Amino acid sequence: MSIRTMRRALIVAGIAAIGALSPLVHAETDDALLTMPTSQENIVAGLGTDAYVNGVNAYVWGYPLVRMERIAREYTDVSGAQSATSYRAPLNQIGWARELATPAAKDMPTANNDTMYMSAIVKLDEPYVLHVPDTKDRYYVVDVFNMWQELEHYVGRRTTGTKAGDFALVPPGWKGKLPKGVKRLDVTTSKVWLWGRLRVNDGEQTGPLLKLQQQFTLRPLSQMNNKNYKAPAAKLPPLPATGDDGLGFYRQLAAAVKDNPPPARDAALFAQLARIGLSAKGFDPAKLAPPQTAGLKRALEDGPKVAVSALATSAVQRNGWAWATGLDAFGTDYPLRALVSGPYLGGQGEKEAMYPLRSADANGQQLVGSKNYVIRFKKAPPVNAFWSLTVYNAADKMLVDNPIRRYKLGTDTQGLKLNADGSFDVPLSATQPTGPFAANWLPTPKGPYYMILRLYQPKEEALSGAYALPQVDEVK
């Protein structure tokens, strides 16, 4: 027996002995702690439960950071062939998709089919200047995310307009002065993710848009006026290997925290994680007893369920649609932040875009391709930009392959049939329907699926709930 094991056994035995000698005070009360023996059985059970509880907290709180650090490496990996829908680019460079997302685009779960995406992972050794061109009122937005997947700034049509401009991404602690005309955007982590969207109208020729993309530039402040600047080759160091003991998430979280210190509001929460071997110094599972290790593994099974539960605790239910607000102001709603950073990575606040989500019909039954449905719009969603309705496979959260290559229906869908009063129906089915609204068909997969109704720059009528989201009825 090792000295450490012997010492631990003696301590446990001593505590148990003290518990055995102590009188059972207040035994008549319902205070379980006052009457609970400090037996080895209870101590072992407590260690496992404590590790489980802290493990769940570590997952729900830390998942966005781990996810973003993984994404930072994934989206800067251009070692393989890049498809036209890919927006990957080397570190400190802008990458643009050259085509709209299709079912073959696997980088982004729940991708839209409305905009070409832009991505840039920026390591801020100094401020970086993002130059945006005049888009002549064309919708675009560039979101500035910190490494906790918190949206700190918008650059785009709604907030800064569509004229040309320069925006400096300023890292924590930088004390310098910016040139005149450059807008300062302070960020809270030393790396950021720029996540952009550029509107593509249905059937539009993309040649001019590809030229417009090239007018978005990203340069260090020291190279701001160097038109010939080319970013040097650079890579982020790899995250720790997950290993084969089932505790890899905690290793990666500890490594990510070293580069991204927890904000002050989370200091107390983070301090609790020292009991499971996770601190600013790293993660040391060697110090854990077997019940603690088991508790941490079980936490990784249940943590994702806690994140998914945010749809019930943080989302408003409107006529069968779940609408989560505050995607740019999570505060301490860690389950919602975790959920968004996973399958809904890059989601925006409701003033920029609404994302009502639906996976059940009017009777509360899961939407499945073996049934036919109809969505009845009394009128088009009220927006200052555009709207779209998109279907996704429930299993992989990807767009649905279909024979007419229609992945969404929206503002500019060609041939969309409306009634005289502006109302319209949208058939949902895995096979092409017939009838008066067949032209409005939105294809579905054969299995379970869900939908997102996107409203870009929604009007107050939509934000307030005055606009009634449409019902989804099964068609027998």
Side-chain angles (χ1 to χ4, degrees):
M1 180 181 294
S2 69
I3 294 177
R4 178 184 293 178
T5 303
M6 185 180 299
R7 184 184 296 122
R8 182 183 297 167
L10 290 172
I11 291 172
V12 170
I15 293 174
I18 293 171
L21 295 172
S22 299
L24 295 178
V25 295
H26 304 296
E28 72 280 6
T29 74
D30 60 357
D31 189 330
L33 183 56
L34 293 179
T35 60
M36 179 170 289
T38 51
S39 66
Q40 184 158 355
E41 179 183 4
N42 286 335
I43 290 172
V44 167
L47 286 173
T49 301
D50 183 57
Y52 171 76
V53 170
N54 277 295
V56 170
N57 283 336
Y59 181 89
V60 174
W61 171 74
Y63 175 83
L65 180 59
V66 173
R67 168 78 161 146
M68 287 291 285
E69 288 288 359
R70 290 172 178 172
I71 283 295
R73 288 153 178 82
E74 180 182 340
Y75 284 7
T76 55
D77 180 4
V78 293
S79 58
Q82 302 301 304
S83 70
T85 60
S86 174
Y87 34 76
R88 297 188 181 199
L91 187 66
N92 298 328
Q93 298 183 42
I94 291 175
W96 278 103
R98 303 182 303 281
E99 294 179 1
L100 293 175
T102 67
K106 302 298 185 183
D107 272 351
M108 172 61 62
T110 318
N112 77 48
N113 187 247
D114 308 304
T115 68
M116 289 191 285
Y117 284 117
M118 183 205 90
S119 176
I121 303 295
V122 193
K123 188 173 183 296
L124 298 172
D125 297 321
E126 63 174 293
Y128 268 69
V129 177
L130 171 69
H131 173 79
V132 298
D134 187 345
T135 67
K136 298 178 171 36
D137 200 45
R138 177 180 294 273
Y139 178 87
Y140 86 93
V141 64
V142 178
D143 304 324
V144 182
F145 285 93
N146 68 19
M147 294 306 290
W148 295 87
Q149 219 276 173
E150 295 170 334
L151 207 169
E152 296 193 308
H153 301 284
Y154 296 92
V155 176
R157 185 175 185 265
R158 179 181 66 88
T159 55
T160 59
T162 60
K163 299 294 184 182
D166 294 296
F167 301 86
L169 309 167
V170 178
W174 188 78
K175 303 296 184 181
K177 185 176 181 181
L178 295 173
K180 184 178 180 181
V182 177
K183 181 174 177 58
R184 180 175 179 138
L185 303 179
D186 287 284
V187 297
T188 55
T189 54
S190 60
K191 290 195 300 293
V192 294
W193 178 40
L194 304 184
W195 182 231
R197 299 166 176 85
L198 180 64
R199 171 67 167 147
V200 181
N201 295 306
D202 193 21
E204 180 179 17
Q205 294 295 316
T206 59
L209 295 184
L210 300 183
K211 293 180 180 178
L212 182 62
Q213 290 176 352
Q214 301 310 309
Q215 297 176 47
F216 288 77
T217 62
L218 181 66
R219 300 189 183 103
L221 178 61
S222 60
Q223 300 292 324
M224 176 182 170
N225 296 318
N226 181 1
K227 305 300 182 183
N228 298 317
Y229 172 79
K230 291 185 179 180
K235 289 185 177 181
L236 296 172
L239 289 173
T242 55
D244 56 4
D245 61 359
L247 301 175
F249 172 84
Y250 303 107
R251 288 189 184 86
Q252 294 193 342
L253 175 56
V257 165
K258 287 183 179 180
D259 290 334
N260 305 277
R265 69 169 187 232
D266 296 340
L269 186 156
F270 183 60
Q272 300 302 309
L273 304 185
R275 296 205 301 279
I276 59 172
L278 198 159
S279 69
K281 296 179 180 179
F283 175 63
D284 185 2
K287 295 181 179 179
L288 300 176
Q292 292 175 296
T293 300
L296 289 182
K297 291 180 180 179
R298 187 160 62 93
L300 294 182
E301 295 176 2
D302 290 346
K305 299 172 188 174
V306 176
V308 170
S309 74
L311 282 177
T313 59
S314 302
V316 175
Q317 302 298 318
R318 289 189 182 177
N319 205 26
W321 298 81
W323 175 37
T325 59
L327 303 193
D328 54 0
F330 294 114
T332 56
D333 192 343
Y334 303 127
L336 180 61
R337 187 178 68 176
L339 177 64
V340 172
S341 64
Y344 310 111
L345 181 69
Q348 305 178 103
E350 61 270 20
K351 290 184 179 180
E352 188 68 32
M354 283 178 59
Y355 302 100
L357 182 149
R358 184 162 194 148
S359 59
D361 63 17
N363 296 318
Q365 300 299 308
Q366 170 68 49
L367 298 172
V368 291
S370 59
K371 298 179 181 180
N372 299 328
Y373 307 91
V374 62
I375 304 183
R376 306 185 187 281
F377 285 84
K378 293 182 179 179
K379 66 175 184 177
V383 292
N384 287 315
F386 58 98
W387 66 272
S388 68
L389 177 68
T390 314
V391 169
Y392 300 93
N393 284 298
D396 62 8
K397 298 178 174 58
M398 297 297 169
L399 294 166
V400 177
D401 200 8
N402 64 85
I404 64 172
R405 296 183 179 179
R406 176 180 283 176
Y407 309 116
K408 60 94 187 292
L409 183 144
T411 298
D412 57 358
T413 297
Q414 298 180 13
L416 184 67
K417 181 176 179 181
L418 306 178
N419 291 315
D421 62 356
S423 64
F424 58 97
D425 291 352
V426 177
L428 294 168
S429 59
T431 57
Q432 193 157 4
T434 59
F437 286 98
N440 297 353
W441 176 41
L442 188 56
T444 71
K446 295 181 180 179
Y449 64 90
Y450 64 98
M451 303 177 294
I452 291 183
L453 179 62
R454 290 179 170 87
L455 284 69
Y456 294 87
Q457 293 186 232
K459 293 183 177 180
E460 181 58 31
E461 183 182 1
L463 290 168
S464 68
Y467 172 76
L469 294 174
Q471 191 51 271
V472 181
D473 297 306
E474 182 182 355
V475 179
K476 300 292 188 179

